């Protein structure tokens, strides 16, 4: 939710009909939907690290590669998405055309978010990245000690990543760039003791926001054992979180982590009842064009079709996509039940309309 709050209203006004269309289709939640407001586009499945919680480390059935500019342009020009998230299992900076992709989307008026592990942020790449002008850069840092960080982000050097991050913040500030720099923390047993120090670190290094989630099971990565914590440790962390919020200036958005710490035993059961609107406004496209419900389906467990070959909108509203939306309305099952996405904030915004007689009959969520 934090990223949506960070989007200025003036940015949304540029695409008023798209915003209104997405709100309408989210409210209705019918089998068909309109052009999405946001797309997660997988920039790469190539990575220079072997993170312990990542499906890439465990192996994928699908091919590996990088998103080509011409394929990206084909889909982008078709739907002119207002918010582009260049993410995926791999490291975006291993895609030689990543800067070209960012520049094109920004030139067309899109907000762009890039996720990176920061290992390749040398002087040249920092210059190119800031010049490309992404709206958000999210740096994954899952530990603030050498031992905890390198036990998770295997193949990275903690000191070098911290140096790269500081250089990125410094260059951004010197050039007057408006790019926001966020840090992202994946909570797991190897780093739970680092959570408070991660917040302190992010506040001191000049980050604009700190975001986080718990390690979840997706693809071939069964991460259930990675979120088994000592109860005394949990209570200690919860108390420290309450205190640290009063002292920091940086925006802290770790609702999913806090939700888990407050009630770890029934977290999956509770999440299975939470609303999800992703398949109505926020699809994921793999580097080779396959449209999947979201990036949790990272091994192409469910594929609607191929946007490069069939056209995005033909895939987005085909029978497979419609059937998936119908089933999701009833309950999260299978892979969806593992997810930590809670879009109750959207449901709460729309709840007044759900309560109005006659109007509520237009919604499948009534």
């Amino acid at each position: 939710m934090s990223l949506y709050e960070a989007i200025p209203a003036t940015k949304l006004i540029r695409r008023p009909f798209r915003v209104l269309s997405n709100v309408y289709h989210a409210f209705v939640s019918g089998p068909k939907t309109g052009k999405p407001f946001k797309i997660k586009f997988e920039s790469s499945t190539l990575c220079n690290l072997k993170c312990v919680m990542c499906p890439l480390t465990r192996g994928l059935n699908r091919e590996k590669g990088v998103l080509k500019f011409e394929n990206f342009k084909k889909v982008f020009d078709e739907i002119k998405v207002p918010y582009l998230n260049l993410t995926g299992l791999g490291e975006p900076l291993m895609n030689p055309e990543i800067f070209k992709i960012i520049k094109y989307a920004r030139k067309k008026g899109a907000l762009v978010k890039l996720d990176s592990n920061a290992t390749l942020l040398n002087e040249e790449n920092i210059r190119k990245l800031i010049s490309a002008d992404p709206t958000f850069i999210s740096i994954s840092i899952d530990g603030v000690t050498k031992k905890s960080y390198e036990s998770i982000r295997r193949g990275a050097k903690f000191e070098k990543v911290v140096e790269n991050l500081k250089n990125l913040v410094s260059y951004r500030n010197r050039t007057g760039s408006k790019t926001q720099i966020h840090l992202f923390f994946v909570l797991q047993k190897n780093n739970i003791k680092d959570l408070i120090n991660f917040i302190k670190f992010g506040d001191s290094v000049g980050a604009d926001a700190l975001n986080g989630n718990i390690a979840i099971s997706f693809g071939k990565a069964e991460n259930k054992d990675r979120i088994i914590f000592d109860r005394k440790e949990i209570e200690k962390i919860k108390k420290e979180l309450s205190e640290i919020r009063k002292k920091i200036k940086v925006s802290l958005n770790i609702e999913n982590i806090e939700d888990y710490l407050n009630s770890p035993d029934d977290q999956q059961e509770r999440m299975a009842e939470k609303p999800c609107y992703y398949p109505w406004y926020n699809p994921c496209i793999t580097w080779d064009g396959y449209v999947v419900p979201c990036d949790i389906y990272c091994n192409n467990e469910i594929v609607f079709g191929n946007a490069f070959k069939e056209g995005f909108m033909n895939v987005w509203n085909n029978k497979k996509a419609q059937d998936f939306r119908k089933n999701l309305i009833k309950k999260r099952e299978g892979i969806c039940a593992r997810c930590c996405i809670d879009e109750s904030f959207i449901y709460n915004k729309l709840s007044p309309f759900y309560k109005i007689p006659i109007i509520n009959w237009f919604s499948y969520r009534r």
Side-chain angles (χ1 to χ4, degrees):
M1 182 178 177
S2 61
L3 285 179
Y4 298 107
E5 292 176 337
I7 298 173
T10 52
K11 297 288 186 179
L12 300 180
I13 291 172
R14 293 181 184 178
R15 302 281 172 81
F17 295 109
R18 180 70 63 89
V19 174
L20 290 174
S21 171
N22 275 229
V23 170
Y24 169 76
H25 286 292
F27 169 74
V28 173
S29 293
K32 286 189 175 182
T33 188
K35 290 183 179 180
F37 171 76
K38 178 183 178 183
I39 278 187
K40 288 187 175 182
F41 227 132
E42 184 177 65
S43 55
S44 172
T45 49
L46 305 181
C47 193
N48 56 337
L49 303 183
K50 292 187 178 296
C51 302
V52 295
M53 67 290 187
C54 181
L56 274 181
T57 304
R58 311 297 174 87
L60 289 178
N61 294 331
R62 61 188 178 95
E63 294 182 8
K64 296 180 181 180
V66 298
L67 175 64
K68 294 182 179 179
F69 175 76
E70 287 305 317
N71 286 332
F72 160 77
K73 184 176 180 296
K74 184 186 302 182
V75 173
F76 186 91
D77 288 349
E78 178 188 355
I79 58 176
K80 297 179 175 62
V81 61
Y83 185 179
L84 172 68
N85 186 184
L86 293 166
T87 183
L89 297 178
E91 167 53 42
L93 295 179
M94 295 190 75
N95 183 335
E97 294 190 297
I98 193 64
F99 306 116
K100 187 177 181 181
I101 290 171
I102 296 171
K103 283 183 179 179
Y104 186 82
R106 291 293 287 144
K107 182 180 179 182
K108 296 295 182 178
L111 301 168
V112 178
K113 176 175 176 283
L114 180 86
D115 300 322
S116 174
N117 61 35
T119 57
L120 301 179
L121 281 176
N122 55 32
E123 183 178 342
E124 180 181 5
N125 281 340
I126 288 175
R127 178 180 56 77
K128 287 181 178 179
L129 184 55
I130 294 300
S131 176
D133 190 34
T135 316
F136 309 103
I137 301 173
S138 179
I139 304 297
S140 297
I141 296 187
D142 302 323
V144 288
T145 68
K146 182 178 178 65
K147 181 179 179 181
S148 62
Y149 175 83
E150 293 183 4
S151 72
I152 294 171
R153 297 266 163 185
R154 293 179 179 172
K157 297 298 181 183
F158 176 68
E159 298 87 352
K160 186 61 179 176
V161 168
V162 172
E163 179 186 350
N164 291 350
L165 172 61
K166 290 180 177 179
N167 288 341
L168 174 66
V169 173
S170 175
Y171 186 83
R172 187 275 307 266
N173 294 345
R174 290 200 313 273
T175 57
S177 167
K178 294 182 179 180
T179 296
Q180 290 194 23
I181 298 173
H182 295 189
L183 304 186
F184 196 88
F185 188 88
V186 180
L187 184 75
Q188 47 202 292
K189 64 183 181 182
N190 291 32
N191 67 7
I192 186 171
K193 294 182 179 180
D194 280 18
L195 179 58
I196 302 303
N197 285 331
F198 164 77
I199 296 170
K200 293 178 180 177
F201 170 77
D203 191 45
S204 66
V205 81
D208 298 289
L210 308 179
N211 309 311
N213 207 341
I214 64 170
I216 62 173
S217 299
F218 64 115
K220 291 189 175 183
E222 292 291 338
N223 289 318
K224 293 179 181 179
D225 63 324
R226 307 207 65 78
I227 51 173
I228 298 175
F229 306 124
D230 180 83
R231 291 311 174 94
K232 291 182 179 179
E233 188 69 46
I234 287 178
E235 293 306 314
K236 179 175 179 289
I237 294 295
K238 286 166 60 177
K239 182 179 179 181
E240 291 176 339
L241 274 173
S242 178
E243 295 172 353
I244 196 69
R245 282 185 179 278
K246 304 171 186 176
K247 302 176 182 179
I248 59 174
K249 296 180 180 179
V250 67
S251 175
L252 181 61
N253 312 290
I254 55 171
E255 294 89 349
N256 287 337
I257 289 177
E258 292 178 293
D259 179 71
Y260 183 84
L261 295 178
N262 285 330
S263 188
D265 292 333
D266 62 347
Q267 192 260 358
Q268 183 164 317
E269 290 75 11
R270 286 185 293 107
M271 290 305 302
E273 302 298 327
K274 299 293 185 180
C276 176
Y277 291 90
Y278 269 26
W280 284 268
Y281 79 98
N282 185 12
C284 181
I285 306 177
T286 64
W287 69 271
D288 47 356
Y290 291 102
V291 180
V292 298
C294 76
D295 49 356
I296 299 300
Y297 290 83
C298 65
N299 209 22
N300 285 7
E301 293 90 346
I302 292 180
V303 172
F304 298 154
N306 192 292
F308 298 162
K309 299 175 182 178
E310 306 167 58
F312 176 81
M313 289 306 296
N314 290 333
V315 173
W316 187 223
N317 276 319
N318 66 16
K319 187 177 185 303
K320 286 184 178 180
Q322 291 187 48
D323 288 345
F324 183 87
R325 294 185 188 108
K326 290 177 184 177
N327 292 330
L328 185 59
I329 284 290
K330 301 172 186 176
K331 188 176 182 180
R332 292 192 191 188
E333 296 178 328
I335 292 176
C336 286
R338 304 176 185 174
C339 182
C340 292
I341 294 298
D342 177 5
E343 296 199 299
S344 294
F345 72 95
I346 294 180
Y347 185 88
N348 293 338
K349 294 285 187 184
L350 297 173
S351 61
F353 299 99
Y354 290 122
K355 297 175 183 178
I356 300 175
I358 300 178
I359 291 181
N360 64 4
W361 282 93
F362 288 95
S363 176
Y364 285 74
R365 293 184 187 265
R366 62 180 180 271

